[in-house]
Amino acid sequence: MTLDTAYLRGSVAGVFSVLHHATCPENIVFHFVTTHRHGAKLTRAITSTFPYLNFHLYYFNTNLVKGKISSSIRRALDQPLNYARMYLADLLPAGVRRIIYFDSDLIVVDDVINLWSINLRSHVLGAPEYCHANFTNYFTSKFWSNPAFSASFKGRPRNPCYFNTGVMVIDLWKWREGKYTEKLENWMRIQKRYRIYELGSLPPFLLVFAGDVEGMEHRWNQHGLGGDNLEGLCRALHPGPVSLLHWSGKGKPWLRIDSKRPCPLDSLWAPYDLFRHPSLFSNS
């Protein structure tokens, strides 16, 4: 998970949910990535909340993406830390092979071992896929009208489908072997020049991996609970079982709860909210 002051409350709730539903929480190791060079304040927040948590904190140098990020439809999507998921293979120790990447606006209501143990087979990455979504909407007309760009999806094992990058199981060894960070960066450079998408760090992942993802049950990413990226309106759960609830979109449950305008599903996040007081986030 990434870790910063703006989303610390969400991260803590996410960690608590993972531990609460795990059969063997003592076997779970958390890897936190931050843009805070020293991170002492964030470390204190984690250790004071979870005194026995097995975790590591890694510094993400924002210079890695400086000049590569293009403005998107929501300012929050343009933050350098949103792009840290592209560099996990460089940040984490070489001995760590498999990781689960989680966004900071979700809670788990199932034993995470069930997600961890999925068979990735030959794939680098596993995630729930949503093939009913209109895939063409994630890229601009300039992308689809350029044969060199649109041809990038040819030759994939399956037709490309949308997947949400807030929940991913990743084989870091295969990632390094395939030099996938370089492939993602290349699309970011193309975006700077041609403006082929509007949605932050998601489209590069679609360009590199869509059609070559190990699909997982939708229960592992009931996403979109934060509404759309412009208004953040309330949404209902998708049909089917639920193992993970994800408030992707503009509306975050802690902000809606604090503003006294919560959505019905925010009540499912609230029991995991260990940081209920704004004073915990002050600079004092």
Side-chain angles (χ1 to χ4, degrees):
M1 302 176 78
T2 57
L3 205 60
D4 66 350
T5 52
Y7 278 74
L8 180 59
R9 190 168 168 186
S11 298
V12 166
V15 170
F16 182 37
S17 72
V18 170
L19 298 174
H20 181 72
H21 293 282
T23 303
C24 300
E26 67 276 9
N27 292 341
I28 300 174
V29 181
F30 285 86
H31 300 272
F32 297 115
V33 179
T34 182
T35 56
H36 296 266
R37 185 172 291 276
H38 301 294
K41 184 178 178 181
L42 293 172
T43 300
R44 284 196 303 271
I46 295 298
T47 54
S48 63
T49 310
F50 306 106
Y52 303 105
L53 191 70
N54 187 355
F55 76 95
H56 306 278
L57 191 67
Y58 307 89
Y59 170 65
F60 176 61
N61 188 343
T62 58
N63 287 331
L64 287 170
V65 290
K66 189 175 181 180
K68 298 188 184 81
I69 297 176
S70 302
S71 60
S72 61
I73 62 173
R74 183 158 62 92
R75 188 177 178 184
L77 300 175
D78 302 339
Q79 301 305 309
L81 199 56
N82 275 335
Y83 292 82
R85 70 195 80 190
M86 297 180 177
Y87 296 88
L88 296 173
D90 300 324
L91 293 168
L92 272 63
V96 177
R97 175 160 191 167
R98 173 175 291 215
I99 61 164
I100 301 171
Y101 175 82
F102 278 160
D103 270 350
S104 297
D105 52 2
L106 56 78
I107 57 169
V108 176
V109 291
D110 196 346
D111 193 335
V112 77
I113 189 65
N114 296 322
L115 176 61
W116 169 264
S117 58
I118 71 160
N119 186 356
L120 289 179
R121 293 184 284 194
S122 61
H123 299 288
V124 177
L125 184 152
E129 294 181 294
Y130 303 89
C131 296
H132 63 277
N134 188 343
F135 193 78
T136 59
N137 288 344
Y138 292 96
F139 303 96
T140 64
S141 57
K142 189 174 289 188
F143 173 86
W144 294 112
S145 63
N146 188 321
F149 296 156
S150 57
S152 60
F153 291 114
K154 292 181 179 178
R156 304 280 171 100
R158 301 190 312 279
N159 289 332
C161 292
Y162 163 76
F163 67 94
N164 180 278
T165 55
V167 178
M168 298 183 289
V169 180
I170 303 172
D171 186 320
L172 293 182
W173 290 5
K174 288 181 180 176
W175 181 292
R176 294 186 188 104
E177 288 171 4
K179 298 182 178 180
Y180 284 96
T181 297
E182 294 177 21
K183 294 176 181 178
L184 292 163
E185 287 181 327
N186 183 56
W187 281 114
M188 290 173 68
R189 293 187 186 97
I190 293 173
Q191 160 72 353
K192 288 288 282 188
R193 185 173 179 181
Y194 294 101
R195 191 71 183 180
I196 58 174
Y197 55 79
E198 304 287 349
L199 259 180
S201 63
L202 167 65
F205 273 88
L206 297 181
L207 287 161
V208 172
F209 292 106
D212 196 10
V213 170
E214 179 61 35
M216 302 176 342
E217 288 185 84
H218 289 177
R219 68 189 302 152
W220 284 109
N221 195 352
Q222 284 268 355
H223 68 289
L225 305 185
D228 61 279
N229 280 301
L230 298 176
E231 297 184 67
L233 302 176
C234 297
R235 284 185 178 173
L237 286 174
H238 308 292
V242 180
S243 292
L244 183 150
L245 298 98
H246 184 192
W247 278 260
S248 57
K250 186 178 180 181
K252 303 307 176 189
W254 57 91
L255 298 178
R256 296 196 292 214
I257 289 170
D258 287 353
S259 67
K260 304 295 192 290
R261 295 195 300 271
C263 291
L265 287 178
D266 295 344
S267 63
L268 299 177
W269 182 88
Y272 302 95
D273 183 16
L274 300 182
F275 278 12
R276 295 180 177 88
H277 306 289
S279 60
L280 288 168
F281 303 95
S282 66
N283 292 322
S284 59

